[in-house]
Amino acid sequence: MVFFFFVHGTTPISQRPTFFFFLLLSTLFFAIAQQVSISLNTTTLSKSGDSVLIQWSGIDTPSKLDWLGIYSPPSSDHHNFVGYVFLSTSPSWQSGSGSVSIPLVNLRSNYSFRIFRWTESEINPKKRDHDQNPLPGTKHLLASSLELGFGPGRGPEQIHLAYTDREDEMRVMFMTEDGAERLVRYGEREGELGDVAVARAGRYEREDMCDSPANESVGWRDPGFIHDGVMKNLKKGVKYYYQVGSDSKGWSSTYSFVSRNGDSDETIAFMFGDMGTATPYKTFMRTQDESISTVKWILRDIEALGDKPAFVSHIGDISYARGYSWIWDQFFNQIEPVASKVPYHVCIGNHEYNWPLQPWKPDWSWSVYGKDGGGECGVPYSLKFNMPGSSSEPTGTRAPATRNLYYSFDMGSVHFVYISTETNFLPGSTQYEFIKGDLESVNRTKTPFVVVQGHRPMYTTSNEIRDAPLRERMLKHLEPLFVNNNVTLALWGHVHRYERFCPLNNFTCGSLGLVGEKWKAYPVHVVIGMAGQDWQPIWKPRDDHPDVPIFPQPLESIYRGGEFGYTRLVATKEKLTLSYVGNHDGKEHDKMEILASGQVLNGGAGKDSADTGVNYVETKRESHVESNLPLFVKGASILVLGAFIGYVLGFVSHARTRAAPRNTWTPVKSEET
């Protein structure tokens, strides 16, 4: 290689130290580039999730900041990597040689890998990821690899199921690299898939994205073709086997599901919000490592069900792609073991939708709706899922209308309603009329329980002040619909904690109907946004001392938890049980039971008065009047009174145990921090 330097002025070159410095630096990096080698153990992977072993050698004076860039397509500019790994993750990196194994998801274009030298002096403090770590620089390329691709004939990927508006149908969606015809073949026996359905294909384009990074080269990648097929005329509660694909392009593996049974009153669901996905490499943003455990434990529970139907409910903030297309591919690959077995239902969250020019953004919502969607404006969410109903709202751009906003369906003894907190829900809107009409028309004989789900919570005791204007309007306009129509449960995400409230109406706890008292079946609100996103909000501090880190648990908050996990809903026509399962051990951390009448059992679970038969609301509110009696008289009185109350409570508790379904709840802490 020949270096040309054009030097101006009359000073001899030999007296210009800057010239020799750059000559030496350029020669050094050229020499390093000549010595460094990078190799792959294969150039063809069979399917998404398979790993490639990347090896390198010949790096002189290795640095902890040397890094490996992951590129797809291979023609991407240096700064448009999909991910990166520091070479120091290899045990032998200090020798100048090493290796790393990376599982890869099929992005419908080839991959390549590049090694860069990066020095501390070149760190740009303005280019950081979501953890405020500086993004690596691409100035000094040391080596590039051959290209790696995925072999033909592997069949479609990212397979996931969903219910339709008919109980005798099941929808299946999947991804391919082209729009050629794909089929769904299914049947009751694994080797006899005699029924066939044609899947329609669709896609979206870069021009459909509404803002950056979704419509920029750093975020955009070819999304492939989304196929949508419906298996029809299914028998009730029967296990079916299915495959998707074609003879010319290849077939997927054979999967199975259990169809809905409208004659059964049993309901099983796994419910959570804000899960996201994990990547095996660093990228432009923080990904959600805890999502791996959430999927693992839910898969355990599904496999333990045998041939019982169930479904998953993911209430907003789905993949946290936020405009980086390949994150969606990572997400669907991660959930496929679950979503190919049971229907995977969703509602829209701020990280799927919000962008500066969204069509519904009233003046009061300036602090609520921002740029959380990364410019996607609901497009990937709307096309990659297809939920029951036909709800949609125009985007006001060339992008297709936003779908999957609000809908409902029956499953066993429960009527499930999904709503959108990101689009208009005020009186006069189409969504408000849907919610009102849907709740008023529920057949409580068939489905005695009603569960409403949305992303942003109506109630939370976290220190979340930005959504306050939204909550005020939800309380004013939606809560009366919930209360007047006897909604059983209201489940919310957005706050990355678990929190269960007492039966609520306008911040007032309803009586539990214990010890013969009158009671009202108010909705129980539960925040379940703890499935993966690891940004944890603090609880709301005391109003009179906001600067002191003391976060009292308000009266209406029955259980607050900081454990990642999910909830498990099991219901018959007599009783609904909601359990909170923690990711660190896969065990129940909280449990609540609600009778078909609306009466809450274990409603005070986690409080000092839990399961004693005493109305916990009144217990917490009782006043303490100072007495002039001598201390020993007070002490003796307390002992006698305690013995009497213990006798009464014991009698009441025994009577309740005989009269009500057996309570298996074990008291645990009311708060985990």
Side-chain angles (χ1 to χ4, degrees):
M1 177 178 286
V2 179
F3 294 90
F4 292 93
F5 293 90
F6 296 89
V7 183
H8 297 276
T10 58
T11 305
I13 292 178
S14 60
Q15 296 181 19
R16 290 179 176 270
T18 304
F19 165 79
F20 285 107
F21 172 78
F22 282 111
L23 178 62
L24 178 62
L25 193 63
S26 300
T27 304
L28 173 63
F29 280 110
F30 173 72
I32 292 175
Q34 290 294 303
Q35 297 172 5
V36 177
S37 66
I38 181 172
S39 63
L40 312 177
N41 70 329
T42 181
T43 56
T44 305
L45 297 179
S46 297
K47 62 182 185 305
S48 283
D50 286 353
S51 295
V52 58
L53 180 67
I54 306 164
Q55 297 174 297
W56 64 88
S57 62
I59 298 180
D60 290 335
T61 60
S63 164
K64 283 188 177 181
L65 294 182
D66 294 340
W67 61 283
L68 174 79
I70 304 165
Y71 292 86
S72 181
S75 60
S76 301
D77 292 339
H78 286 340
H79 62 279
N80 285 342
F81 49 83
V82 300
Y84 60 96
V85 176
F86 286 108
L87 302 190
S88 58
T89 59
S90 174
S92 61
W93 72 274
Q94 290 178 313
S95 69
S97 301
S99 64
V100 62
S101 180
I102 304 176
L104 296 174
V105 167
N106 179 19
L107 299 182
R108 298 159 299 280
S109 63
N110 286 351
Y111 281 88
S112 68
F113 308 91
R114 305 170 198 171
I115 291 178
F116 294 90
R117 163 126 318 158
W118 185 37
T119 63
E120 290 189 13
S121 63
E122 295 172 326
I123 292 176
N124 185 344
K126 296 182 179 180
K127 292 184 177 181
R128 296 179 179 272
D129 63 17
H130 286 186
D131 287 325
Q132 296 306 305
N133 297 316
L135 289 170
T138 59
K139 186 176 181 180
H140 309 298
L141 174 68
L142 302 187
S144 297
S145 76
L146 298 174
E147 293 187 12
L148 175 147
F150 286 81
R154 65 190 173 277
E157 296 176 322
Q158 304 184 25
I159 297 165
H160 54 105
L161 301 170
Y163 292 132
T164 74
D165 288 316
R166 294 180 56 92
E167 286 191 345
D168 65 345
E169 294 181 346
M170 183 69 78
R171 183 182 307 281
V172 58
M173 302 185 73
F174 50 92
M175 292 293 304
T176 67
E177 67 278 0
D178 60 59
E181 183 180 80
R182 302 303 202 279
L183 306 175
V184 184
R185 55 188 188 190
Y186 57 102
E188 295 181 48
R189 293 182 175 84
E190 188 170 0
E192 300 178 16
L193 307 181
D195 294 313
V196 177
V198 177
R200 62 178 179 84
R203 63 176 278 128
Y204 54 92
E205 304 297 340
R206 180 170 172 173
E207 292 74 22
D208 293 328
M209 303 293 99
C210 298
D211 207 342
S212 62
N215 60 5
E216 294 180 345
S217 56
V218 68
W220 172 258
R221 294 295 184 278
D222 175 17
F225 285 79
I226 306 162
H227 298 261
D228 184 342
V230 177
M231 294 172 272
K232 300 182 178 182
N233 300 317
L234 305 178
K235 298 178 182 178
K236 297 180 179 180
V238 170
K239 186 173 186 177
Y240 281 88
Y241 297 88
Y242 71 98
Q243 280 185 308
V244 296
S246 67
D247 290 336
S248 61
K249 298 288 185 175
W251 291 91
S252 70
S253 300
T254 300
Y255 300 91
S256 66
F257 66 88
V258 180
S259 59
R260 265 196 288 185
N261 185 358
D263 296 333
S264 173
D265 68 349
E266 187 175 39
T267 309
I268 301 172
F270 305 97
M271 318 178 87
F272 53 84
D274 306 76
M275 185 174 75
T277 187
T279 55
Y281 45 74
K282 295 180 180 293
T283 185
F284 292 95
M285 67 187 75
R286 177 193 302 157
T287 53
Q288 296 74 44
D289 290 343
E290 275 290 335
S291 63
I292 297 173
S293 294
T294 303
V295 171
K296 178 188 74 173
W297 291 121
I298 291 176
L299 185 59
R300 171 204 63 177
D301 289 351
I302 290 172
E303 290 175 344
L305 290 177
D307 293 342
K308 291 184 177 181
F311 74 98
V312 165
S313 186
H314 187 163
I315 55 175
D317 286 4
I318 309 299
S319 71
Y320 284 100
R322 292 171 284 196
Y324 297 101
S325 178
W326 63 90
I327 301 295
W328 278 110
D329 293 290
Q330 195 75 35
F331 171 80
F332 279 107
N333 182 71
Q334 182 172 318
I335 69 165
E336 187 182 80
V338 166
S340 60
K341 288 180 168 59
V342 299
Y344 200 99
H345 279 257
V346 294
C347 69
I348 198 165
N350 52 302
H351 284 294
E352 284 76 58
Y353 183 71
N354 298 156
W355 83 97
L357 298 179
Q358 65 188 74
W360 188 68
K361 197 173 183 179
D363 293 340
W364 54 262
S365 69
W366 66 269
S367 65
V368 179
Y369 302 127
K371 301 191 297 182
D372 296 336
E376 292 183 352
C377 55
V379 175
Y381 168 84
S382 297
L383 273 68
K384 289 176 179 291
F385 295 101
N386 190 351
M387 299 292 99
S390 58
S391 62
S392 68
E393 293 288 347
T395 58
T397 69
R398 66 154 278 171
T402 308
R403 304 188 321 210
N404 309 318
L405 294 172
Y406 42 90
Y407 61 96
S408 66
F409 62 86
D410 292 342
M411 173 67 168
S413 58
V414 183
H415 180 72
F416 293 95
V417 185
Y418 293 77
I419 68 174
S420 165
T421 58
E422 310 309 299
T423 54
N424 194 352
F425 58 82
L426 300 181
S429 67
T430 305
Q431 178 172 200
Y432 180 88
E433 294 304 319
F434 165 81
I435 296 170
K436 183 175 184 296
D438 187 86
L439 293 179
E440 291 175 349
S441 61
V442 176
N443 181 350
R444 300 307 281 258
T445 301
K446 179 183 178 183
T447 55
F449 301 102
V450 175
V451 177
V452 177
Q453 299 160 86
H455 183 60
R456 302 188 197 233
M458 186 181 296
Y459 286 98
T460 176
T461 65
S462 74
N463 196 31
E464 172 56 79
I465 60 175
R466 292 174 301 173
D467 285 351
L470 181 78
R471 290 196 295 271
E472 290 175 6
R473 285 153 181 83
M474 293 172 70
L475 287 163
K476 180 179 179 180
H477 301 295
L478 296 185
E479 186 175 48
L481 296 182
F482 292 9
V483 172
N484 294 337
N485 290 286
N486 298 319
V487 167
T488 310
L489 275 176
L491 302 178
W492 313 99
H494 194 56
V495 174
H496 308 143
R497 299 271 195 168
Y498 172 85
E499 183 170 25
R500 175 167 62 85
F501 292 86
C502 64
L504 271 176
N505 181 22
N506 193 26
F507 288 94
T508 302
C509 290
S511 166
L512 298 181
L514 307 180
V515 201
E517 66 196 0
K518 294 182 180 180
W519 58 279
K520 171 65 177 176
Y522 290 146
V524 175
H525 292 255
V526 188
V527 177
I528 58 173
M530 67 296 174
Q533 176 57 267
D534 59 2
W535 181 84
Q536 293 280 24
I538 62 172
W539 302 113
K540 184 179 179 182
R542 295 179 300 177
D543 292 334
D544 54 343
H545 293 289
D547 57 331
V548 179
I550 296 176
F551 312 102
Q553 189 166 356
L555 176 67
E556 66 271 15
S557 177
I558 304 304
Y559 187 106
R560 302 197 303 195
E563 168 80 3
F564 292 103
Y566 60 97
T567 59
R568 187 167 52 211
L569 183 150
V570 179
T572 64
K573 283 197 173 181
E574 289 73 38
K575 183 175 66 176
L576 180 150
T577 302
L578 186 73
S579 304
Y580 164 38
V581 181
N583 272 0
H584 86 275
D585 57 6
K587 297 179 180 179
E588 291 180 352
H589 289 230
D590 184 38
K591 185 174 181 179
M592 171 189 59
E593 298 171 323
I594 304 177
L595 301 181
S597 61
Q599 184 175 2
V600 179
L601 305 181
N602 304 331
K607 290 293 186 184
D608 294 338
S609 59
D611 207 35
T612 61
V614 177
N615 183 323
Y616 68 92
V617 176
E618 298 303 323
T619 299
K620 292 292 183 179
R621 289 178 176 171
E622 68 182 5
S623 60
H624 298 277
V625 180
E626 193 63 50
S627 171
N628 294 320
L629 291 174
L631 289 177
F632 78 91
V633 175
K634 290 182 181 179
S637 301
I638 290 172
L639 289 174
V640 172
L641 180 61
F644 176 75
I645 291 176
Y647 174 80
V648 172
L649 294 183
F651 176 82
V652 172
S653 177
H654 178 69
R656 285 184 61 221
T657 301
R658 295 178 59 186
R662 185 166 180 81
N663 176 10
T664 59
W665 181 82
T666 301
V668 294
K669 292 187 299 181
S670 64
E671 180 172 4
E672 297 175 358
T673 57

